[in-house]
C-alpha cells in the first residue's frame, strides 16, 4: 500500500509556506512506500490566507501538474500529523493516489448527481460546506442520500473573513466548471468516493452528560416545553441543581450547559450512551439559546421532535480526550495485523524522533475535522489534540481543519471530531 505524501508549513508569506510544503511533498514522493503518481490533492488553509486562496491553488496546480483534481477549504485552524496551526498563516496538503474512476470532485457548479443518475456511483463523500448557506443541515442530509452508504464526512468552513472552498478537476469531472478557477463561496463542495475506495470513519464527542436521558414529550418549534411529561424548565433546573430564586447563579450554570439530542429509533449499535458518562456518535450536541418562563420551556438551537431523547451536558476536556483515544484505538486495532514481523514491530514502536508513517498500519492517509472550539487550548496545550491522535492512531499522513460544525453520517455535529482514514482493508 502506498502512503499519501503530505506537507504543512506556516509563514507570513503564502508563497514561502507553499514552497516548504512542495519540498516535503516532493521528498516523500521520491521515497519507497509513498505514492509517486497521485492525482487528487486535498488543500486546507487558515483564514490568514483567504484573500490569496486563488493564487495558492494556481501556484500549487502549476507546480504539481500531475495533480488533476483539488478539494479543500479554509479554517480558523488547520491540522496535520502531530501539529495544528491556530491563528497563524499556514497551509496543509495531502496527495491521494486513487484510481480516477473511484472518485469525483463536486461543487455548486457541478453537483453530485442523485444515486443511479450517473455511471459514477458515490458510496461516501468528503463534504466541505459554507455555514452561511441557507438550510445547510438539510443540504448535508440530501447529500448523504446521494451516496450508497448514506454516510458523508467533513465540516463547515470556519473563517473570520470570507469562507472559501476549493473544488477543481482538470480531467473533465467538473463539467460545469467553465471559467471558474476552483475557488468557491457558499454551498457544498468536496470529493465523492466509489465503494472501491475503502475508508473508515469515526466520530469522537467532546461533551459529557450531566443528567440522565429524558424523553421530549412536548415541543413547539425549537422550544422544548415538556420532558418526561413535566415542565422542561423545571426538569433542567433540577438536573443542574439551580433555582430561579438565585437567577445569577442559575444563568451562569445554564450558559455553560448544552443539550445532547438522540432520535428515539437510534439503537445501541449506533451509539446511545454506551459508556457510562459518555455520549455515543448518534448524539447531536446543541446550544441552549434561551429560556421561556411563560411556557416553562427551554429554547435550543435545533427543532426537536416529540419522542426524541435529551440529556443536559457540558464541554469536558477529559471526556473529549478519552473518547478521542478510544476512536483512534478502534481504528488501529481493526486495521493493524495481529502478527507483526520483527522489522515492522520495530518500525511501529520507534521513538517519536525516529518514527515515520509506515505501510504496516494499513492507513494510506487520514483526514481529521475537529470543532474550532476544541483544539490545543481545550486539550491543554498547543497541538495537544493532534498529538493525542498521533499517539493513539500511530504516525500516519494526516491533514484536516478546525470547522464551524462537523459533518458525519447525514448529520451536522458540534464540539466533535471526525476522523476518517483511507485504507485497503474493507470497512466503514
Amino acid at each position: 500500500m502506498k502512503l499519501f505524501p503530505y506537507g504543512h508549513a506556516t509563514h507570513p508569506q503564502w508563497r514561502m509556506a507553499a514552497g516548504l510544503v512542495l519540498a516535503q511533498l516532493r521528498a516523500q514522493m521520491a521515497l519507497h512506500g509513498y505514492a509517486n503518481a497521485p492525482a487528487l490533492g486535498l488543500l486546507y488553509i487558515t483564514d490568514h490566507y483567504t484573500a490569496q486562496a486563488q493564487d495558492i491553488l494556481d501556484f500549487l496546480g502549476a507546480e504539481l501538474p500531475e495533480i488533476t483534481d483539488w478539494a479543500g477549504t479554509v479554517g480558523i485552524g488547520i491540522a496535520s500529523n502531530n501539529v495544528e496551526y491556530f491563528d497563524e498563516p499556514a497551509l496543509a496538503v495531502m496527495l491521494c493516489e486513487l484510481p480516477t474512476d473511484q472518485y469525483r470532485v463536486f461543487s455548486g457548479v457541478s453537483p453530485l448527481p442523485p444515486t443511479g443518475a450517473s455511471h459514477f456511483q458515490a458510496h461516501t463523500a468528503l463534504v466541505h460546506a459554507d455555514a452561511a448557506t441557507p438550510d445547510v443541515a438539510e443540504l448535508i442530509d440530501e447529500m448523504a442520500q446521494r451516496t450508497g452508504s448514506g454516510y458523508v464526512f467533513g465540516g463547515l468552513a470556519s473563517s473570520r473573513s470570507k469562507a472559501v472552498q476549493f473544488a477543481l478537476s482538470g480531467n473533465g469531472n467538473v463539467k460545469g466548471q467553465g471559467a471558474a478557477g476552483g475557488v468557491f463561496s457558499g454551498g457544498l463542495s468536496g470529493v465523492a468516493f466509489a465503494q472501491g475506495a475503502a475508508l473508515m470513519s469515526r466520530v469522537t464527542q467532546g461533551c459529557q452528560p450531566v443528567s440522565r436521558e429524558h424523553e421530549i414529550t412536548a415541543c413547539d418549534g425549537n422550544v422544548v416545553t415538556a420532558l418526561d411529561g413535566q415542565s422542561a424548565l423545571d426538569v433542567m433546573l433540577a438536573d443542574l441543581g439551580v433555582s430561579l430564586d438565585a437567577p445569577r447563579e442559575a444563568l451562569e450554570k445554564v450558559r455553560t450547559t448544552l443539550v445532547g439530542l438522540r432520535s428515539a429509533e437510534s439503537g445501541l449499535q449506533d451509539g446511545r450512551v454506551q459508556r457510562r458518562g459518555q455520549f455515543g456518535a448518534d448524539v447531536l450536541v446543541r446550544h441552549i439559546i434561551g429560556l421561556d418562563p411563560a411556557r416553562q420551556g427551554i429554547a435550543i438551537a435545533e427543532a426537536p421532535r416529540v419522542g426524541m431523547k435529551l440529556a443536559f451536558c457540558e464541554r469536558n476536556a477529559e471526556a473529549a480526550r478519552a473518547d478521542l483515544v478510544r476512536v483512534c484505538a478502534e481504528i488501529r486495532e481493526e486495521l493493524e495485523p495481529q502478527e507483526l514481523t520483527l522489522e515492522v514491530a520495530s518500525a511501529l514502536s520507534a521513538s517519536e524522533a525516529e518514527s515515520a508513517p509506515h505501510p504496516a498500519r494499513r492507513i494510506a492517509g487520514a483526514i481529521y475535522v475537529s470543532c474550532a472550539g476544541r483544539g490545543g487550548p481545550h486539550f491543554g496545550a498547543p497541538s495537544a489534540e493532534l498529538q493525542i491522535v498521533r499517539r493513539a492512531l500511530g504516525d500516519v499522513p494526516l491533514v484536516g481543519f478546525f470547522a464551524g460544525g462537523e459533518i458525519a453520517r447525514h448529520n451536522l455535529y458540534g464540539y466533535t471530531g471526525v476522523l476518517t482514514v483511507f485504507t485497503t482493508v474493507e470497512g466503514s
Side-chain angles (χ1 to χ4, degrees):
M1 182 188 65
K2 298 286 188 176
L3 296 166
F4 292 167
Y6 72 108
H8 52 91
T10 176
H11 197 279
Q13 300 177 25
W14 70 262
R15 195 176 291 269
M16 292 296 293
L20 292 168
V21 168
L22 283 170
Q24 296 169 57
L25 296 172
R26 287 167 175 158
Q28 291 174 17
M29 290 170 71
L31 293 175
H32 175 72
Y34 279 86
N36 56 17
L40 171 64
L42 300 180
L43 168 61
Y44 296 105
I45 64 174
T46 61
D47 58 356
H48 286 71
Y49 288 154
T50 300
Q52 294 80 39
Q54 188 68 65
D55 293 334
I56 292 171
L57 181 60
D58 291 344
F59 177 79
L60 291 172
E63 292 291 322
L64 298 167
E66 66 273 27
I67 306 302
T68 57
D69 307 282
W70 290 92
T73 191
V74 61
I76 291 174
I78 61 171
S80 194
N81 180 25
N82 212 39
V83 65
E84 57 196 42
Y85 298 96
F86 258 100
D87 197 24
E88 57 183 323
L91 63 92
V93 174
M94 185 165 70
L95 305 181
C96 310
E97 188 173 76
L98 299 167
T100 55
D101 63 350
Q102 291 295 306
Y103 69 88
R104 171 174 172 168
V105 175
F106 63 90
S107 68
V109 300
S110 182
L112 191 65
T115 303
S118 168
H119 71 280
F120 177 82
Q121 298 298 310
H123 182 67
T124 185
L126 166 63
V127 178
H128 305 122
D130 190 332
T133 301
D135 303 319
V136 66
E138 288 75 10
L139 290 175
I140 292 167
D141 182 66
E142 195 268 341
M143 176 62 69
Q145 294 175 29
R146 292 176 180 242
T147 68
S149 66
Y151 190 110
V152 296
F153 60 96
L156 304 184
S158 63
S159 176
R160 288 160 294 194
S161 54
K162 187 178 182 181
V164 298
Q165 302 167 46
F166 301 105
L168 179 66
S169 179
N171 62 5
N173 282 354
V174 182
K175 296 180 179 178
Q177 190 163 274
V183 177
F184 299 89
S185 293
L188 276 58
S189 69
V191 187
F193 300 97
Q195 191 163 8
L199 296 99
M200 181 180 296
S201 190
R202 296 288 186 272
V203 178
T204 175
Q205 293 279 7
C207 292
Q208 184 176 47
V210 295
S211 76
R212 67 177 182 85
E213 274 194 331
H214 303 284
E215 181 177 347
I216 298 176
T217 48
C219 57
D220 182 10
N222 68 327
V223 179
V224 178
T225 55
L227 294 170
D228 301 331
Q230 304 176 55
S231 157
L233 183 57
D234 289 342
V235 171
M236 182 189 71
L237 295 173
D239 281 351
L240 301 184
V242 295
S243 169
L244 292 182
D245 294 334
R248 179 173 297 180
E249 178 187 349
L251 287 175
E252 287 179 357
K253 183 66 175 177
V254 170
R255 286 194 186 102
T256 62
T257 301
L258 304 100
V259 298
L261 297 171
R262 181 176 67 85
S263 61
E265 55 270 19
S266 296
L268 287 172
Q269 182 179 1
D270 200 32
R272 203 168 173 176
V273 181
Q274 300 178 35
R275 299 162 298 282
R276 183 175 180 83
Q278 294 186 30
F279 280 141
D282 57 344
V283 174
L284 304 179
V285 174
R286 295 294 186 261
H287 285 279
I288 296 174
I289 58 177
L291 305 180
D292 189 339
R295 289 185 287 179
Q296 290 291 290
I298 54 175
I300 62 176
E302 185 66 55
R305 303 184 306 275
V306 169
M308 293 183 76
K309 305 297 183 180
L310 180 151
F312 298 103
C313 59
E314 62 185 12
R315 297 183 64 196
N316 184 285
E318 287 301 319
R321 183 179 293 107
D323 203 50
L324 180 56
V325 170
R326 177 188 64 82
V327 299
C328 291
E330 283 182 3
I331 292 174
R332 185 170 178 170
E333 182 177 349
E334 187 165 344
L335 292 179
E336 288 188 359
Q338 293 183 347
E339 295 184 5
L340 302 178
T341 65
L342 179 60
E343 177 187 2
V344 171
S346 298
L348 296 187
S349 62
S351 67
E352 186 168 322
E354 299 173 334
S355 64
H358 198 286
R361 297 200 189 285
R362 301 184 182 179
I363 298 174
I367 301 170
Y368 187 56
V369 180
S370 185
C371 177
R374 287 165 57 109
H378 183 60
F379 285 85
S383 297
E385 183 174 8
L386 271 297
Q387 290 168 4
I388 292 170
V389 173
R390 186 224 175 251
R391 286 195 297 269
L393 182 64
D395 207 6
V396 300
L398 182 150
V399 295
F401 70 107
F402 290 87
E406 305 76 62
I407 299 168
R409 296 177 172 81
H410 60 279
N411 297 320
L412 181 60
Y413 288 84
Y415 300 111
T416 63
V418 180
L419 177 63
T420 305
V421 301
F422 293 86
T423 171
T424 56
V425 179
E426 293 295 335
S428 60

